[in-house]
Amino acid sequence: MSFFDKFFEQATVVRGAAGNVAQNAVKQTKSLAAVAKIKIAIAAEEDKVKQAYSELGRLFYRDYEAGTEAAMEDYQPWCDKITEAKAAIAKLNDDMAAARVQEDIPVVTEEAAPEEPVLEIVEEDAPEREAAEEAAEAPEEPAPEIPDIPVIDTLYVDESGAEE
């Protein structure tokens, strides 16, 4: 097999691997986009819940202020909206979990987040480090006392502009 035959064979293999990587990247991007859309839909449903709670509070305070007993027919539509929104949120959370499992998208939590890198002390820094340690161990000197300076409360200026 000649040099060129080997070269083209390897180029074909590399091109195939690059195509696989590109296809995987496209799949991953589509999955992440789907998850992002689901998160936006969840946020919209959570806003509906907040609005319904706000309206319920407004209605309850209206009845409280008037001294009347709460009328359930006023509250029921808002309670139904909260129930529907919470059910939609639960379904969207299930859809998001299924989308992540289907495409193996890792869920990053605070526990799974990478640790901060640890800085290493190089031997070149040893004299500076020792000086810093000695300075930290040395007792602090008290700050010098600042003498009291008299404060002028009022400055008098006559009509000619000369200070007195």
Side-chain angles (χ1 to χ4, degrees), residues 15-25:
R15 191 174 344 135
N20 290 339
V21 169
Q23 288 175 353
N24 288 338

Side-chain angles (χ1 to χ4, degrees), residues 3 6 19 30 37 60 64 93 98 102 121-122 140 149:
F3 170 75
K6 288 180 184 177
K30 286 181 181 179
K37 286 180 183 178
F60 179 80
Y64 170 78
N93 280 327
Q102 181 180 5
I121 298 175
V122 182
E140 293 184 24
I149 300 173

Side-chain angles (χ1 to χ4, degrees), residues 146-150:
I146 300 174
D148 290 334
I149 300 173

Side-chain angles (χ1 to χ4, degrees), residues 123-135:
E123 287 302 318
E124 296 172 3
D125 295 340
E128 294 173 4
R129 185 183 69 228
E130 290 172 4
E133 289 173 358
E134 288 175 9

Side-chain angles (χ1 to χ4, degrees), residues 52-72 74-75 78-79:
Y53 279 138
S54 177
E55 185 62 26
L56 278 172
R58 190 184 66 73
L59 291 173
F60 179 80
Y61 187 75
R62 178 199 66 192
D63 293 342
Y64 170 78
E65 194 175 42
T68 60
E69 192 170 318
M72 195 59 186
D74 291 342
Y75 298 144
W78 298 105
C79 293

Side-chain angles (χ1 to χ4, degrees), residues 22-158:
Q23 288 175 353
N24 288 338
V26 168
K27 287 180 185 178
Q28 187 90 8
T29 303
K30 286 181 181 179
S31 298
L32 289 173
V35 169
K37 286 180 183 178
I38 293 172
K39 285 183 177 183
I40 291 171
I42 289 173
E45 292 296 325
E46 288 173 346
D47 283 343
K48 288 179 184 178
V49 170
K50 287 178 186 177
Q51 289 173 352
Y53 279 138
S54 177
E55 185 62 26
L56 278 172
R58 190 184 66 73
L59 291 173
F60 179 80
Y61 187 75
R62 178 199 66 192
D63 293 342
Y64 170 78
E65 194 175 42
T68 60
E69 192 170 318
M72 195 59 186
E73 60 272 356
D74 291 342
Y75 298 144
Q76 192 62 44
W78 298 105
C79 293
D80 292 341
K81 286 183 181 186
I82 292 171
T83 304
E84 291 169 6
K86 285 186 176 186
I89 290 171
K91 182 184 179 310
L92 289 167
N93 280 327
D94 292 342
D95 292 347
M96 185 167 49
R100 285 185 170 155
V101 168
Q102 181 180 5
E103 294 298 330
D104 295 329
I105 298 174
V107 178
V108 178
T109 61
E110 289 184 17
E111 294 113 17
E115 295 180 14
E116 293 184 24
V118 178
L119 299 176
E120 295 181 19
I121 298 175
V122 182
E123 287 302 318
E124 296 172 3
D125 295 340
E128 294 173 4
R129 185 183 69 228
E130 290 172 4
E133 289 173 358
E134 288 175 9
E137 292 174 3
E140 293 184 24
E141 295 180 19
E145 290 187 31
I146 300 174
D148 290 334
I149 300 173
V151 178
I152 301 174
D153 290 342
T154 310
L155 180 66
Y156 294 100
V157 178
D158 65 4

